Amino acid sequence: MTAYIIRRLLLIIPTIFGMMLVTFVIVQFAPGGPVERVLAVLAGADTGAGSRVPGGSQGGDFGARGQQGGAQFDGSAAAKYRGAQGLDPKFIESLEKQFGFDRPAHERFFIMLWNYLRFDFGRSYFRDVTVLELIKEKLPVSISLGVWLMLLSYLISIPLGIRKAVSDGSHFDVWTSGVIIVAYALPGFLVAVLLIVLFAGGSFFAWFPLRGLTSEDFAFMPWWQQVLDYLWHMVLPIIALGLSAFATMTLLTKNSFLDEIRKQYVLTARAKGCNERQVLYGHVFRNAMLIVIAGFPGAFVHAFFAGALLIEVIFSLDGLGLLGFESIINRDYPVVFATLYIFGLLGMIVTLISDLTYTWVDPRIDFESREV
């Protein structure tokens, strides 16, 4: 097992390198960039979702510096960018140097990798804060959504899936399958809007808050009231975000248990006099749960770092999903690459933990002789 763990850890290095290289190359050919973003803001031509440079003070600083150039537009640096008319070429060159674009692409890539190996992710282009501080600021929202989504989906879906497998074909199985299929088919953002209309003061009831993770007077509440207020705010976002995950996990658990229940060793256990509970939890459970554990890394990454963008926007939750979207729109490359690196690294580590959990659930599985 030790050799397998070492091989998997070493495999992380080329995987991360390839992931970062592909992303870096795509970014080089993508239209626009941080310099263009600043110039568009200065020219007043930037509209839509990315119509602001985060951290308005810096945008104002760019504007003041840009005005120093008067109407000059003769330099090759300025001529590279549309919307640079009227700006001093030296100002454009200073922007390129500030963003690191005065260096060749390959040099910038390897400098970035060296810094990332030391977990030095630099500072945001458009916010006066380091990337790690920015991620830490947004992380509580994503942790809240991810932890509750994982807990509820597993605590509800696994028992429900087992019950559906045991009572396969019954009325309970049929009507719950119908509910699950409908829940899976509904988009999360549509459910979020429906919940707001029904229960957050949209048109009918005002039982739940419309936005945020806590109330405005949260800091002045006693601790027990803070807990209740936090849970009160989490109800609607978790329901909207978790329906599809809940449906997927339930059907996965049911089908896995059905496959195991129909195998020969179950008939043998029953013939030896084991009751249904002993058969189900003493023999079937370990084998059936393997496929559920196999899906844990994907479910973990999805719960924490994906699929929450629209939910965060609808419920005004400022988390990692919204941060990633804004960073891509605003071409804030340090944030984009740092989040990709951190989440990719975390995902591969969680996958390794999942493999190790296999051996804990079923000691017969041996990864030592398996080729990576």
Side-chain angles (χ1 to χ4, degrees), residues 272-345:
K272 289 182 176 180
C274 296
N275 58 42
E276 288 300 313
R277 186 175 184 83
Q278 291 174 326
V279 170
L280 189 63
Y281 293 101
H283 298 275
V284 174
F285 186 81
R286 275 196 318 180
N287 297 325
M289 286 301 294
L290 288 176
I291 192 171
V292 178
I293 293 172
F296 177 79
F300 178 89
V301 174
H302 172 80
F304 278 84
F305 312 121
L309 171 60
L310 292 176
I311 302 300
E312 290 181 8
V313 172
I314 292 172
F315 289 102
S316 300
L317 302 173
D318 193 8
L320 292 175
L322 189 58
L323 172 65
F325 173 74
E326 288 184 344
S327 300
I328 293 172
I329 292 296
N330 292 309
R331 305 299 193 268
D332 198 349
Y333 292 151
V335 179
V336 174
F337 285 115
T339 52
L340 176 68
Y341 178 85
I342 293 172
F343 299 158
L345 184 63

Side-chain angles (χ1 to χ4, degrees), residues 355-370:
D355 285 349
L356 299 180
T357 309
Y358 270 124
T359 62
W360 175 70
V361 175
D362 190 349
R364 296 172 299 174
I365 296 178
D366 180 22
F367 288 107
E368 191 69 34
S369 58
R370 171 178 147 183

Side-chain angles (χ1 to χ4, degrees), residues 10 36 74-75 88-89 104 128 167 195 200 216 227 235 239 258 267 278 300 308 312 315 330 337:
L10 292 176
E36 288 87 343
D74 299 323
D88 189 345
D128 189 21
S167 57
L195 291 174
E216 293 182 359
V227 173
V235 171
I239 292 176
L258 277 179
L267 297 177
Q278 291 174 326
F300 178 89
E312 290 181 8
F315 289 102
N330 292 309
F337 285 115

